[in-house]
Amino acid sequence: MAVHDHSRRALPVAQAAVLTLPPATPAKVSASLLCGAFAGAVAKTAIAPLDRTKIIFQGTNNEALRLLYCTYIKDGFLGLWRGNSATMVRVMPYAAIQFCSHEQYKRVLGGYCGLQGKALPPFPRFLAGSLAGTTAAMLTYPLDLVRARMAVTAKEMYCNILHVFIRISQEEGVRILYRGFSPTILGVIPYAGITFFTYETLKKKTRRSQPYPYERLAFGACAGLIGQSASYPLDIVRRRMQTAGVTGSSYSTILGTMREIVKHEGVVRGLYKGLSMNWVKGPVAVGISFTTFDIMHSLLLQLHQMGYFTP
């Protein structure tokens, strides 16, 4: 036993911290997954009409408001939420994985930095967010493509989510389900990293152990505004590549898509098309999701400590 203790003391601080890293309990993992899924669903449902407006605006050269007005006349008010079922199928697992993995990445990186249970330094804070966003995007990407297809097509073209998968697989090939994957990952790395970094940093600036809900909303809104502005051109490229099969375009590579957009629409009107719209919906969605997750996560952990919530 003495030899074992001596070996452990001889380890560098970071390695010793990793060895003493407390395991992630099933209750904490379950709470993170449940709260993440619920937070994503609430946020996306709240801004679904604006989200569809953005997708149509990004994917075509037409005026988004005119297309939405035609949708309203043809399909009614609920037509503005067309594709939201596919959004929920994608967003709930995406948000669950993202928030849960972020908690785990923070725990692991905190162990490597010797700061278990404390706020991470700036770069590990950014890295935890980037890794969480990348993990979620890799596991749920086909659902994102399906949602984009449903948002820009007429109701008669695709009956439901399963029908989209079947038609794409039969008519365009299974590989098309990952069209636009590269710009998605390249966009998620700065977006998720900056968003989580900004939110965690602003929370750290408060002198209380828990910020007020309105502060969380404001912090999340700031985080979403900065993160989405930094990664927006890649979001445009992703949408164009995802919807190329139904819009008649031939976008296939990131650089090729960017060149086509800049050539026909210009830099500002092309690569930043709809950014002002994103400044309205993005901060709202991020603020709602971060606030909902934090409040529900704290509540579930308290219920677990009281014996009311078990994984």
Side-chain angles (χ1 to χ4, degrees):
M1 181 64 68
V3 174
H4 174 75
D5 290 341
H6 174 75
S7 299
R8 180 173 180 133
R9 285 195 299 273
L11 289 171
V13 174
Q15 283 185 272
V18 172
L19 290 178
T20 58
L21 197 63
T25 64
K28 289 184 178 181
V29 173
S30 299
S32 296
L33 289 170
L34 288 172
C35 295
F38 184 74
V42 171
K44 279 296 185 179
T45 300
I47 53 94
L50 289 174
D51 206 27
R52 188 176 186 207
T53 303
K54 185 197 77 168
I55 294 174
I56 294 175
F57 200 47
Q58 287 179 334
T60 68
N61 292 321
N62 297 314
E63 294 182 9
L65 291 179
R66 182 175 63 82
L67 291 173
L68 281 180
Y69 177 73
C70 292
T71 300
Y72 172 74
I73 296 299
K74 184 177 181 180
D75 300 326
F77 179 70
L78 293 181
L80 298 177
W81 271 265
R82 174 166 163 72
N84 196 51
S85 59
T87 300
M88 290 300 101
V89 173
R90 181 194 72 90
V91 162
M92 293 182 71
Y94 180 94
I97 294 169
Q98 180 175 242
F99 279 110
C100 182
S101 60
H102 182 248
E103 294 295 312
Q104 302 311 309
Y105 286 129
K106 283 199 303 181
R107 183 179 65 87
V108 173
L109 291 172
Y112 275 107
C113 296
L115 296 170
Q116 189 61 40
K118 300 179 182 179
L120 292 173
F123 180 71
R125 204 179 307 155
F126 172 86
L127 184 59
S130 294
L131 290 172
T134 302
T135 301
M138 289 176 64
L139 295 175
T140 62
Y141 183 77
L143 291 169
D144 186 43
L145 184 139
V146 166
R147 176 182 72 107
R149 287 291 183 95
M150 292 188 72
V152 300
T153 56
K155 185 168 63 175
E156 294 78 14
M157 186 167 184
Y158 297 121
C159 300
N160 50 49
I161 300 170
L162 182 60
H163 188 214
V164 182
F165 276 111
I166 294 173
R167 284 198 61 175
I168 290 176
S169 300
Q170 291 178 343
E171 298 174 6
E172 303 176 57
V174 177
R175 291 182 60 184
I176 297 300
L177 291 173
Y178 281 89
R179 172 181 278 173
F181 180 70
S182 297
T184 297
I185 295 300
L186 291 177
V188 160
I189 290 173
Y191 169 70
I194 292 171
T195 301
F196 277 104
F197 170 83
T198 304
Y199 184 70
E200 295 287 329
T201 300
L202 291 174
K203 282 202 306 181
K204 185 182 175 184
K205 296 297 182 182
T206 60
R207 299 187 180 277
R208 294 178 303 280
S209 59
Q210 294 294 332
Y212 295 125
Y214 70 85
E215 289 178 322
R216 295 183 191 274
L217 282 169
F219 296 161
C222 289
L225 184 65
I226 296 171
Q228 291 186 345
S229 298
S231 61
Y232 194 77
L234 285 167
D235 192 43
I236 289 281
V237 172
R238 170 174 65 112
R239 289 299 180 208
R240 293 294 179 93
M241 293 177 70
Q242 286 179 336
T243 58
V246 293
T247 58
S249 303
S250 57
Y251 303 123
S252 58
T253 65
I254 298 174
L255 292 179
T257 302
M258 282 188 168
R259 279 197 298 266
E260 286 296 313
I261 293 173
V262 172
K263 178 181 177 181
H264 294 99
E265 303 170 51
V267 176
V268 176
R269 294 180 62 85
L271 294 178
Y272 289 90
K273 189 175 187 178
L275 179 58
S276 58
M277 192 184 307
N278 227 44
W279 282 342
V280 175
K281 81 169 195 66
V284 173
V286 177
I288 291 174
S289 63
F290 275 52
T291 302
T292 304
F293 175 81
D294 276 356
I295 293 175
M296 282 200 63
H297 192 249
S298 298
L299 177 61
L300 284 185
L301 290 182
Q302 290 176 7
L303 291 174
H304 173 68
Q305 292 173 356
M306 297 169 61
Y308 292 108
F309 172 74
T310 56

